[in-house]
Amino acid sequence: MQPSGAWALKPLVDMTPAEFYDWQTLLEERTGVVISEQRQAFLQTNLSARMRELGVADYASYYRQVTDGPRGAVEWSILLDRLTVQETRFFRHRPSFQVLEHYLGERLARAEVGEQPWALWSVGCSSGEEPYSLAISAAEVLRDSERPAHFGVTGTDISLNALSKARAGQYGARKLEQMDIELCERYFDAQSDGRFKVVPSLAARVCCARLNVLELAKAPMSGMDVIFCQNLLIYFRRWRRREILNRLAERLAPGGLLVVGVGEVIGWQHPELEPVADERVLAFTRKG
Ligand SMILES: C[S@@+](CC[C@H](N)C(=O)[O-])C[C@H]1O[C@@H](n2cnc3c(N)ncnc32)[C@H](O)[C@@H]1O
């Protein structure tokens, strides 16, 4: 028998084409994320790393483990974080946030007494930078108004790990480097460990929940004023991107704003939506 240290370093063999197909299909069926053949090495490396941790020697045994009922579900949620990209930043695509702030400014100018608080939604919110950026934009627009808390942001993601980071709302100093210093001071509290925590008044306006975007039919969201869906659909097949955008469009309130990542869908149209006339962004408003 080999010592365990040597075993841990032993490279796993290449997947067979059938194994690659099984893993690729499992990931796509469960998340929509497509791993192309060019990214087989990425899949192998990440599966192998997890298999080593568990002491599982071959892909087929691990596949059975991951697909084995409730126990498999726990393992799947761990694996998911290794196979999906969760990279994100505050105010990641500035022009999209500029369009949002302009839109909210106009909404505020037209606001009527008794209007419902604005409902904003970050689809594929990762560790929270996007929903908190949406919240900061809304808070800034409303800051000098009579109703500074007239909004709520929902962040949804498939990853429980990402969601727990989003709920914690604590970020290292480097995460805030690109942000306007005034916004940092207004919306984050410095912690004794050098990290920064979202201030309670802003955190209270943001809620994060698990939602697989392939299961939008189960989502209770409706009448949303703003939906941001950025850097999620790029990992999906084109027909699925359109399908999801059609479902998101149905969740928008009349006059609501849908913002998608630039280039993430080409030539998509919806009879109820009008494109925002700004070539820096891919955004639509719902008629009415
Ligand atoms: C690259 S991050 C994008 C984060 C943020 N929207 C941004 O633009 O910075 C993609 C996120 O989508 C999530 N994701 C992947 N598949 C998903 C699915 N089927 N349903 C919901 N979220 C999913 C991942 O967990 C990840 O957090």
Side-chain angles (χ1 to χ4, degrees):
M1 205 171 117
Q2 285 184 326
S4 59
W7 185 87
L9 294 172
K10 194 178 141 199
L12 284 173
V13 289
D14 272 352
M15 285 177 159
T16 64
E19 284 168 340
F20 177 60
Y21 177 81
D22 285 345
W23 279 104
Q24 196 187 29
T25 307
L26 185 70
L27 187 67
E28 186 174 352
E29 277 178 4
R30 291 187 173 188
T31 69
V33 172
V34 177
I35 300 224
S36 63
E37 271 153 38
Q38 293 76 36
R39 294 186 72 223
Q40 180 168 336
F42 161 86
L43 180 65
Q44 273 179 206
T45 306
N46 287 288
L47 287 179
S48 304
R50 181 62 186 153
M51 285 159 66
R52 284 202 184 92
E53 286 166 16
L54 296 171
V56 180
D58 64 278
Y59 298 112
S61 308
Y62 186 45
Y63 183 91
R64 282 195 295 279
Q65 187 170 329
V66 165
T67 52
D68 175 25
R71 263 191 320 148
V74 174
E75 180 53 29
W76 172 253
S77 78
I78 296 167
L79 182 61
L80 186 71
D81 288 324
R82 314 270 178 112
L83 300 183
T84 54
V85 178
Q86 294 176 350
E87 186 200 327
T88 183
R89 288 192 300 280
F90 287 101
F91 297 97
R92 184 167 186 175
H93 184 245
R94 292 272 169 180
S96 295
F97 285 92
Q98 287 161 0
V99 164
L100 169 72
E101 286 169 20
H102 177 76
Y103 169 83
L104 293 179
E106 289 198 331
R107 286 285 302 261
L108 179 62
R110 292 197 316 264
E112 286 168 14
V113 180
E115 190 192 74
Q116 290 287 312
W118 299 334
L120 296 86
W121 182 10
S122 160
V123 183
C125 68
S126 191
S127 38
E129 288 85 336
E130 184 172 89
Y132 290 120
S133 301
L134 294 176
I136 291 171
S137 289
E140 283 293 291
V141 169
L142 291 166
R143 197 151 69 94
D144 297 322
S145 77
E146 286 163 11
R147 294 175 285 179
H150 189 69
F151 69 97
V153 180
T154 305
T156 58
D157 202 282
I158 196 172
S159 162
L160 293 173
N161 183 40
L163 287 169
S164 76
K165 290 184 193 162
R167 289 184 188 118
Q170 292 196 68
Y171 301 94
R174 288 196 59 184
K175 279 276 183 181
L176 304 188
E177 264 171 13
Q178 306 288 320
M179 205 188 295
D180 188 299
I181 186 88
E182 271 185 32
L183 295 183
C184 292
E185 287 171 0
R186 206 171 286 146
Y187 297 108
F188 293 86
D189 287 330
Q191 307 281 101
S192 54
D193 62 0
R195 289 163 65 79
F196 293 82
K197 192 167 168 59
V198 175
V199 294
S201 59
L202 193 76
R205 311 241 59 82
V206 178
C207 118
C208 296
R210 186 176 182 280
L211 176 69
N212 184 342
V213 81
L214 302 189
E215 297 169 358
L216 277 176
K218 292 184 189 166
M221 290 83 167
S222 64
M224 305 304 294
D225 296 293
V226 174
I227 302 179
F228 257 58
C229 183
Q230 299 203 314
N231 302 296
L232 165 61
L233 300 179
I234 33 168
Y235 303 104
F236 293 6
R237 291 194 194 276
R238 284 191 201 144
W239 66 265
R240 209 192 284 280
R241 299 179 196 187
R242 290 160 185 272
E243 186 62 34
I244 290 170
L245 289 175
N246 286 338
R247 299 286 82 76
L248 292 178
E250 292 164 4
R251 305 300 174 119
L252 269 185
L257 175 72
L258 170 65
V259 184
V260 183
V262 175
E264 289 190 57
V265 66
I266 293 164
W268 175 74
Q269 290 174 340
H270 188 284
E272 286 297 311
L273 300 190
E274 281 167 351
V276 171
D278 184 331
E279 60 189 18
R280 301 169 308 156
V281 301
L282 185 56
F284 306 83
T285 49
R286 186 161 177 174
K287 294 174 188 169

